[in-house]
Amino acid sequence: MRYRVLGGTGIEVSHHCLGAMMFGSVGNTDHDEGVRIIHRALDAGINFVDTADMYSAGESEEIVGKALAGRRDDVVLATKVHFPLGEGRNRSGNSRRHIVRAVEDSLRRLGTDWIDLYQVHRPDYTTDVEETLSVLTDLVRAGKIRAFGCSTFPAAEIVEAHHVAMNRGFLRFRTEQPPYSLLARGIERSVLPTCQRLGMGVLVWSPLASGFLSGRHRRGTNAEAFRATLTPDRFDETLPRNAAKFDAVEQFAKLADEMGVSLPALAIAFVTTHPAVTSAITGPRTMEQLESLLEGASLVLTDDVLDRIDEIVAPGEDTYDVHGVWKPASLLDVHRRRRPFDQR
């Protein structure tokens, strides 16, 4: 296992980060097995664990908390805030009101006194970023969190947050957590260069493209895996928009076979090759999946292999919509895209 410094924090983290999204009601409901998977990852040298309060409505954090009992000092623990955990107003977003309550709930579920990396899960267009940075700075000074970051923020909003922090005397986002894979390279255009210029750490999510690079979803197969049941449209090869994904997967699978490695190993090694990437988040649901991912932890890609990858999916290109069901307000709100009728 290799280790890298997380942004400018001085915190060393493994280049593989264990994602806990699949622990709980939306994935593996066996808490004891979840604990065993986390312990196996820690024993293999992974010291970085990432979860979120919305994963299985807090259940993922509870499982992580159980697993880290007695081992907390050896782990860099990350979680996230933004999405609603229940019905009612003011129970989501990036406001001071919500974050102050959410961090206390996360600390309780995780069974810890502090969170190493607290991340804003998505932008909130109803809350000034100044408000968000202010409360996160206060939480660092109160000892509740050690550092904070953002997740799936466009490059322009990362820059805006950086300048607001500098101008207002707040601490700044130390990390960004974007989607990145062999099939989704869009962040190479601006997000990754922006993070490099600002000295931010980068934790990439979905390096297996929501299971598309797991090796189980190939052209002509019946996609019945867990991920396919959650988002079936992503795996429906009859849909024209999925054709490019299936074509690319076949070529990547052939390349992996020629190298004598698994497709997941190739996928994870690729994202950790980019100089801006600190760690790749892998979210196994079973022990078998974890063992498969660990097998490729030491894989290093040559320039010839990286050139082949560039020929299959060009740098900076996405073969699918990486954000899934989440869309920025600039796309969802028609009033942000259309002038009033009397001004056209």
Side-chain angles (χ1 to χ4, degrees), residues 243-266:
K245 285 194 292 185
F246 277 105
D247 290 342
V249 167
E250 292 302 315
Q251 295 179 69
F252 286 132
K254 179 181 178 182
L255 175 58
D257 288 342
E258 292 174 1
M259 297 170 60
V261 301
S262 69
L263 181 55
L266 174 64

PDB file of all heavy atoms in Angstrom, residues 243-266:
ATOM      1  N   ALA A 243     -24.112   2.759 -25.575  1.00  0.00           N
ATOM      2  CA  ALA A 243     -23.289   2.044 -26.551  1.00  0.00           C
ATOM      3  C   ALA A 243     -21.803   2.331 -26.370  1.00  0.00           C
ATOM      4  O   ALA A 243     -20.964   1.415 -26.402  1.00  0.00           O
ATOM      5  CB  ALA A 243     -23.737   2.393 -27.964  1.00  0.00           C
ATOM      6  N   ALA A 244     -21.456   3.619 -26.171  1.00  0.00           N
ATOM      7  CA  ALA A 244     -20.039   3.980 -26.027  1.00  0.00           C
ATOM      8  C   ALA A 244     -19.430   3.329 -24.794  1.00  0.00           C
ATOM      9  O   ALA A 244     -18.256   2.925 -24.810  1.00  0.00           O
ATOM     10  CB  ALA A 244     -19.895   5.500 -25.954  1.00  0.00           C
ATOM     11  N   LYS A 245     -20.215   3.218 -23.721  1.00  0.00           N
ATOM     12  CA  LYS A 245     -19.702   2.580 -22.505  1.00  0.00           C
ATOM     13  C   LYS A 245     -19.379   1.115 -22.764  1.00  0.00           C
ATOM     14  O   LYS A 245     -18.307   0.621 -22.385  1.00  0.00           O
ATOM     15  CB  LYS A 245     -20.718   2.700 -21.370  1.00  0.00           C
ATOM     16  CG  LYS A 245     -20.819   4.070 -20.741  1.00  0.00           C
ATOM     17  CD  LYS A 245     -21.567   4.029 -19.424  1.00  0.00           C
ATOM     18  CE  LYS A 245     -23.019   3.704 -19.604  1.00  0.00           C
ATOM     19  NZ  LYS A 245     -23.778   3.784 -18.335  1.00  0.00           N
ATOM     20  N   PHE A 246     -20.327   0.397 -23.386  1.00  0.00           N
ATOM     21  CA  PHE A 246     -20.094  -1.019 -23.641  1.00  0.00           C
ATOM     22  C   PHE A 246     -18.913  -1.230 -24.580  1.00  0.00           C
ATOM     23  O   PHE A 246     -18.107  -2.152 -24.385  1.00  0.00           O
ATOM     24  CB  PHE A 246     -21.358  -1.666 -24.224  1.00  0.00           C
ATOM     25  CG  PHE A 246     -22.365  -2.067 -23.185  1.00  0.00           C
ATOM     26  CD1 PHE A 246     -23.515  -1.321 -22.996  1.00  0.00           C
ATOM     27  CD2 PHE A 246     -22.161  -3.187 -22.390  1.00  0.00           C
ATOM     28  CE1 PHE A 246     -24.453  -1.685 -22.028  1.00  0.00           C
ATOM     29  CE2 PHE A 246     -23.087  -3.558 -21.426  1.00  0.00           C
ATOM     30  CZ  PHE A 246     -24.233  -2.810 -21.256  1.00  0.00           C
ATOM     31  N   ASP A 247     -18.777  -0.370 -25.601  1.00  0.00           N
ATOM     32  CA  ASP A 247     -17.632  -0.484 -26.506  1.00  0.00           C
ATOM     33  C   ASP A 247     -16.322  -0.306 -25.750  1.00  0.00           C
ATOM     34  O   ASP A 247     -15.366  -1.075 -25.934  1.00  0.00           O
ATOM     35  CB  ASP A 247     -17.731   0.575 -27.613  1.00  0.00           C
ATOM     36  CG  ASP A 247     -18.854   0.285 -28.606  1.00  0.00           C
ATOM     37  OD1 ASP A 247     -19.308  -0.868 -28.648  1.00  0.00           O
ATOM     38  OD2 ASP A 247     -19.266   1.224 -29.313  1.00  0.00           O
ATOM     39  N   ALA A 248     -16.271   0.711 -24.897  1.00  0.00           N
ATOM     40  CA  ALA A 248     -15.045   0.989 -24.155  1.00  0.00           C
ATOM     41  C   ALA A 248     -14.733  -0.125 -23.162  1.00  0.00           C
ATOM     42  O   ALA A 248     -13.568  -0.520 -23.013  1.00  0.00           O
ATOM     43  CB  ALA A 248     -15.165   2.325 -23.433  1.00  0.00           C
ATOM     44  N   VAL A 249     -15.752  -0.641 -22.485  1.00  0.00           N
ATOM     45  CA  VAL A 249     -15.528  -1.710 -21.506  1.00  0.00           C
ATOM     46  C   VAL A 249     -14.913  -2.923 -22.183  1.00  0.00           C
ATOM     47  O   VAL A 249     -13.989  -3.556 -21.635  1.00  0.00           O
ATOM     48  CB  VAL A 249     -16.845  -2.084 -20.800  1.00  0.00           C
ATOM     49  CG1 VAL A 249     -16.684  -3.394 -20.020  1.00  0.00           C
ATOM     50  CG2 VAL A 249     -17.278  -0.974 -19.848  1.00  0.00           C
ATOM     51  N   GLU A 250     -15.394  -3.277 -23.361  1.00  0.00           N
ATOM     52  CA  GLU A 250     -14.824  -4.423 -24.076  1.00  0.00           C
ATOM     53  C   GLU A 250     -13.349  -4.205 -24.380  1.00  0.00           C
ATOM     54  O   GLU A 250     -12.522  -5.120 -24.239  1.00  0.00           O
ATOM     55  CB  GLU A 250     -15.598  -4.671 -25.376  1.00  0.00           C
ATOM     56  CG  GLU A 250     -17.019  -5.154 -25.186  1.00  0.00           C
ATOM     57  CD  GLU A 250     -17.089  -6.447 -24.385  1.00  0.00           C
ATOM     58  OE1 GLU A 250     -16.296  -7.368 -24.669  1.00  0.00           O
ATOM     59  OE2 GLU A 250     -17.920  -6.525 -23.461  1.00  0.00           O
ATOM     60  N   GLN A 251     -13.002  -3.004 -24.782  1.00  0.00           N
ATOM     61  CA  GLN A 251     -11.596  -2.722 -25.098  1.00  0.00           C
ATOM     62  C   GLN A 251     -10.734  -2.702 -23.843  1.00  0.00           C
ATOM     63  O   GLN A 251      -9.591  -3.185 -23.862  1.00  0.00           O
ATOM     64  CB  GLN A 251     -11.509  -1.384 -25.836  1.00  0.00           C
ATOM     65  CG  GLN A 251     -12.186  -1.385 -27.193  1.00  0.00           C
ATOM     66  CD  GLN A 251     -12.091  -0.040 -27.885  1.00  0.00           C
ATOM     67  OE1 GLN A 251     -10.999   0.377 -28.305  1.00  0.00           O
ATOM     68  NE2 GLN A 251     -13.210   0.665 -28.008  1.00  0.00           N
ATOM     69  N   PHE A 252     -11.264  -2.151 -22.745  1.00  0.00           N
ATOM     70  CA  PHE A 252     -10.501  -2.144 -21.497  1.00  0.00           C
ATOM     71  C   PHE A 252     -10.333  -3.562 -20.957  1.00  0.00           C
ATOM     72  O   PHE A 252      -9.280  -3.900 -20.407  1.00  0.00           O
ATOM     73  CB  PHE A 252     -11.179  -1.258 -20.460  1.00  0.00           C
ATOM     74  CG  PHE A 252     -11.041   0.214 -20.715  1.00  0.00           C
ATOM     75  CD1 PHE A 252     -12.144   1.065 -20.658  1.00  0.00           C
ATOM     76  CD2 PHE A 252      -9.798   0.771 -21.022  1.00  0.00           C
ATOM     77  CE1 PHE A 252     -12.016   2.421 -20.899  1.00  0.00           C
ATOM     78  CE2 PHE A 252      -9.660   2.133 -21.273  1.00  0.00           C
ATOM     79  CZ  PHE A 252     -10.779   2.955 -21.206  1.00  0.00           C
ATOM     80  N   ALA A 253     -11.367  -4.381 -21.095  1.00  0.00           N
ATOM     81  CA  ALA A 253     -11.273  -5.771 -20.634  1.00  0.00           C
ATOM     82  C   ALA A 253     -10.205  -6.528 -21.430  1.00  0.00           C
ATOM     83  O   ALA A 253      -9.439  -7.325 -20.869  1.00  0.00           O
ATOM     84  CB  ALA A 253     -12.633  -6.456 -20.777  1.00  0.00           C
ATOM     85  N   LYS A 254     -10.134  -6.269 -22.731  1.00  0.00           N
ATOM     86  CA  LYS A 254      -9.106  -6.897 -23.567  1.00  0.00           C
ATOM     87  C   LYS A 254      -7.715  -6.449 -23.129  1.00  0.00           C
ATOM     88  O   LYS A 254      -6.779  -7.275 -23.029  1.00  0.00           O
ATOM     89  CB  LYS A 254      -9.349  -6.540 -25.033  1.00  0.00           C
ATOM     90  CG  LYS A 254      -8.322  -7.130 -25.982  1.00  0.00           C
ATOM     91  CD  LYS A 254      -8.609  -6.730 -27.424  1.00  0.00           C
ATOM     92  CE  LYS A 254      -7.541  -7.279 -28.362  1.00  0.00           C
ATOM     93  NZ  LYS A 254      -7.788  -6.860 -29.765  1.00  0.00           N
ATOM     94  N   LEU A 255      -7.568  -5.159 -22.843  1.00  0.00           N
ATOM     95  CA  LEU A 255      -6.274  -4.636 -22.390  1.00  0.00           C
ATOM     96  C   LEU A 255      -5.872  -5.271 -21.061  1.00  0.00           C
ATOM     97  O   LEU A 255      -4.706  -5.657 -20.876  1.00  0.00           O
ATOM     98  CB  LEU A 255      -6.350  -3.112 -22.249  1.00  0.00           C
ATOM     99  CG  LEU A 255      -5.124  -2.399 -21.680  1.00  0.00           C
ATOM    100  CD1 LEU A 255      -3.891  -2.676 -22.535  1.00  0.00           C
ATOM    101  CD2 LEU A 255      -5.383  -0.896 -21.575  1.00  0.00           C
ATOM    102  N   ALA A 256      -6.816  -5.386 -20.135  1.00  0.00           N
ATOM    103  CA  ALA A 256      -6.526  -5.992 -18.837  1.00  0.00           C
ATOM    104  C   ALA A 256      -6.095  -7.446 -19.017  1.00  0.00           C
ATOM    105  O   ALA A 256      -5.153  -7.912 -18.358  1.00  0.00           O
ATOM    106  CB  ALA A 256      -7.755  -5.914 -17.927  1.00  0.00           C
ATOM    107  N   ASP A 257      -6.763  -8.185 -19.915  1.00  0.00           N
ATOM    108  CA  ASP A 257      -6.386  -9.575 -20.176  1.00  0.00           C
ATOM    109  C   ASP A 257      -4.965  -9.662 -20.717  1.00  0.00           C
ATOM    110  O   ASP A 257      -4.187 -10.549 -20.329  1.00  0.00           O
ATOM    111  CB  ASP A 257      -7.364 -10.202 -21.178  1.00  0.00           C
ATOM    112  CG  ASP A 257      -8.735 -10.481 -20.573  1.00  0.00           C
ATOM    113  OD1 ASP A 257      -8.828 -10.521 -19.325  1.00  0.00           O
ATOM    114  OD2 ASP A 257      -9.700 -10.650 -21.343  1.00  0.00           O
ATOM    115  N   GLU A 258      -4.618  -8.762 -21.610  1.00  0.00           N
ATOM    116  CA  GLU A 258      -3.261  -8.766 -22.182  1.00  0.00           C
ATOM    117  C   GLU A 258      -2.221  -8.500 -21.102  1.00  0.00           C
ATOM    118  O   GLU A 258      -1.101  -9.026 -21.160  1.00  0.00           O
ATOM    119  CB  GLU A 258      -3.160  -7.696 -23.272  1.00  0.00           C
ATOM    120  CG  GLU A 258      -3.993  -7.991 -24.512  1.00  0.00           C
ATOM    121  CD  GLU A 258      -3.969  -6.823 -25.494  1.00  0.00           C
ATOM    122  OE1 GLU A 258      -3.288  -5.816 -25.205  1.00  0.00           O
ATOM    123  OE2 GLU A 258      -4.636  -6.920 -26.537  1.00  0.00           O
ATOM    124  N   MET A 259      -2.583  -7.700 -20.113  1.00  0.00           N
ATOM    125  CA  MET A 259      -1.660  -7.376 -19.022  1.00  0.00           C
ATOM    126  C   MET A 259      -1.626  -8.460 -17.954  1.00  0.00           C
ATOM    127  O   MET A 259      -0.745  -8.455 -17.088  1.00  0.00           O
ATOM    128  CB  MET A 259      -2.060  -6.049 -18.382  1.00  0.00           C
ATOM    129  CG  MET A 259      -1.986  -4.848 -19.300  1.00  0.00           C
ATOM    130  SD  MET A 259      -2.748  -3.377 -18.532  1.00  0.00           S
ATOM    131  CE  MET A 259      -1.737  -3.197 -17.048  1.00  0.00           C
ATOM    132  N   GLY A 260      -2.624  -9.346 -17.964  1.00  0.00           N
ATOM    133  CA  GLY A 260      -2.704 -10.386 -16.937  1.00  0.00           C
ATOM    134  C   GLY A 260      -3.219  -9.870 -15.613  1.00  0.00           C
ATOM    135  O   GLY A 260      -2.871 -10.403 -14.556  1.00  0.00           O
ATOM    136  N   VAL A 261      -4.075  -8.835 -15.660  1.00  0.00           N
ATOM    137  CA  VAL A 261      -4.656  -8.275 -14.437  1.00  0.00           C
ATOM    138  C   VAL A 261      -6.169  -8.231 -14.593  1.00  0.00           C
ATOM    139  O   VAL A 261      -6.706  -8.404 -15.685  1.00  0.00           O
ATOM    140  CB  VAL A 261      -4.115  -6.851 -14.151  1.00  0.00           C
ATOM    141  CG1 VAL A 261      -2.603  -6.886 -14.005  1.00  0.00           C
ATOM    142  CG2 VAL A 261      -4.537  -5.872 -15.249  1.00  0.00           C
ATOM    143  N   SER A 262      -6.870  -7.976 -13.500  1.00  0.00           N
ATOM    144  CA  SER A 262      -8.323  -7.866 -13.563  1.00  0.00           C
ATOM    145  C   SER A 262      -8.716  -6.479 -14.062  1.00  0.00           C
ATOM    146  O   SER A 262      -7.939  -5.517 -13.952  1.00  0.00           O
ATOM    147  CB  SER A 262      -8.945  -8.122 -12.190  1.00  0.00           C
ATOM    148  OG  SER A 262      -8.632  -7.072 -11.295  1.00  0.00           O
ATOM    149  N   LEU A 263      -9.917  -6.367 -14.597  1.00  0.00           N
ATOM    150  CA  LEU A 263     -10.407  -5.060 -15.047  1.00  0.00           C
ATOM    151  C   LEU A 263     -10.512  -4.067 -13.886  1.00  0.00           C
ATOM    152  O   LEU A 263     -10.108  -2.899 -14.043  1.00  0.00           O
ATOM    153  CB  LEU A 263     -11.761  -5.232 -15.745  1.00  0.00           C
ATOM    154  CG  LEU A 263     -12.413  -3.968 -16.306  1.00  0.00           C
ATOM    155  CD1 LEU A 263     -11.474  -3.234 -17.252  1.00  0.00           C
ATOM    156  CD2 LEU A 263     -13.731  -4.310 -17.000  1.00  0.00           C
ATOM    157  N   PRO A 264     -11.036  -4.464 -12.704  1.00  0.00           N
ATOM    158  CA  PRO A 264     -11.056  -3.512 -11.583  1.00  0.00           C
ATOM    159  C   PRO A 264      -9.667  -3.014 -11.189  1.00  0.00           C
ATOM    160  O   PRO A 264      -9.496  -1.837 -10.859  1.00  0.00           O
ATOM    161  CB  PRO A 264     -11.702  -4.321 -10.448  1.00  0.00           C
ATOM    162  CG  PRO A 264     -12.524  -5.345 -11.133  1.00  0.00           C
ATOM    163  CD  PRO A 264     -11.749  -5.710 -12.367  1.00  0.00           C
ATOM    164  N   ALA A 265      -8.676  -3.909 -11.226  1.00  0.00           N
ATOM    165  CA  ALA A 265      -7.310  -3.493 -10.875  1.00  0.00           C
ATOM    166  C   ALA A 265      -6.794  -2.439 -11.845  1.00  0.00           C
ATOM    167  O   ALA A 265      -6.170  -1.454 -11.450  1.00  0.00           O
ATOM    168  CB  ALA A 265      -6.382  -4.704 -10.868  1.00  0.00           C
ATOM    169  N   LEU A 266      -7.065  -2.648 -13.148  1.00  0.00           N
ATOM    170  CA  LEU A 266      -6.668  -1.666 -14.156  1.00  0.00           C
ATOM    171  C   LEU A 266      -7.369  -0.331 -13.911  1.00  0.00           C
ATOM    172  O   LEU A 266      -6.748   0.740 -13.977  1.00  0.00           O
ATOM    173  CB  LEU A 266      -7.018  -2.193 -15.551  1.00  0.00           C
ATOM    174  CG  LEU A 266      -6.807  -1.218 -16.722  1.00  0.00           C
ATOM    175  CD1 LEU A 266      -5.336  -0.863 -16.864  1.00  0.00           C
ATOM    176  CD2 LEU A 266      -7.348  -1.812 -18.020  1.00  0.00           C
TER     177      LEU A 266
END
